[in-house]
């Protein structure tokens, strides 16, 4: 059956303002949430004892390759102790730092700083 008169079959649309739609949504949510009630006692939550932070030695001061390597080694030791770095990776990192420290003690500062930078980059330390 064909439409004879377009006006007879026009769709009527209701336009709702955004403010009214938002208000309706808020009221609907409030009613939904208001219908939620707990029956019975609330569940017991076990208390968690605070974990004491490990006592760390102060980081070495100064500039140059020696103190820089020592500071990095202290951070690695701390990360292994707290579990932020696993033991095998910490041992490899420390081995790389030992090579840098050896170069530093031999007076090869530039090489030591390069070895330190390479080790830090390899293990994702800034």
């Amino acid at each position: 059956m064909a439409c004879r008169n377009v006006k007879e079959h026009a769709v009527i649309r209701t336009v709702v303002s955004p403010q009214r739609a938002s208000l309706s949504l808020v009221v609907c949510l409030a009613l939904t949430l208001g219908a939620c009630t707990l029956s019975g006692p609330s569940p017991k939550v076990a208390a968690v004892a605070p974990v004491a932070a490990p006592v760390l030695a102060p980081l070495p001061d100064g500039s140059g390759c020696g103190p820089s390597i020592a500071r990095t080694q202290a951070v690695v030791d701390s990360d292994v102790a707290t579990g932020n770095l696993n033991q095998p990776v910490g041992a490899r990192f420390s081995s790389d730092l030992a090579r840098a420290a050896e170069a530093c003690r031999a007076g090869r500062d530039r090489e030591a700083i390069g070895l330190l930078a390479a080790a830090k980059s390899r293990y994702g330390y800034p």
Side-chain angles (χ1 to χ4, degrees), residues 19-126:
Q19 293 85 3
R20 188 168 180 174
S22 296
L23 180 61
S24 298
L25 180 62
V26 168
V27 170
C28 181
L29 287 173
L31 291 173
T32 302
L33 292 175
C36 296
T37 59
L38 292 175
S39 60
S42 62
K44 301 292 182 194
V45 177
V48 177
V51 177
V55 178
L56 302 175
L59 294 177
D61 290 331
S63 61
C65 59
S68 296
I69 294 167
R71 279 191 295 273
T72 304
Q73 184 62 59
V75 170
V76 169
D77 292 342
S78 171
D79 285 352
V80 169
T82 58
N84 291 326
L85 185 65
N86 68 31
Q87 185 68 38
V89 174
R92 288 194 308 267
F93 199 163
S94 292
S95 176
D96 290 348
L97 292 176
R99 283 192 289 281
E102 183 180 318
C104 184
R105 282 190 299 275
R108 301 187 313 264
D109 290 4
R110 188 173 188 170
E111 179 185 349
I113 295 298
L115 289 169
L116 173 62
K120 289 170 73 173
S121 175
R122 184 177 305 115
Y123 297 102
Y125 281 67

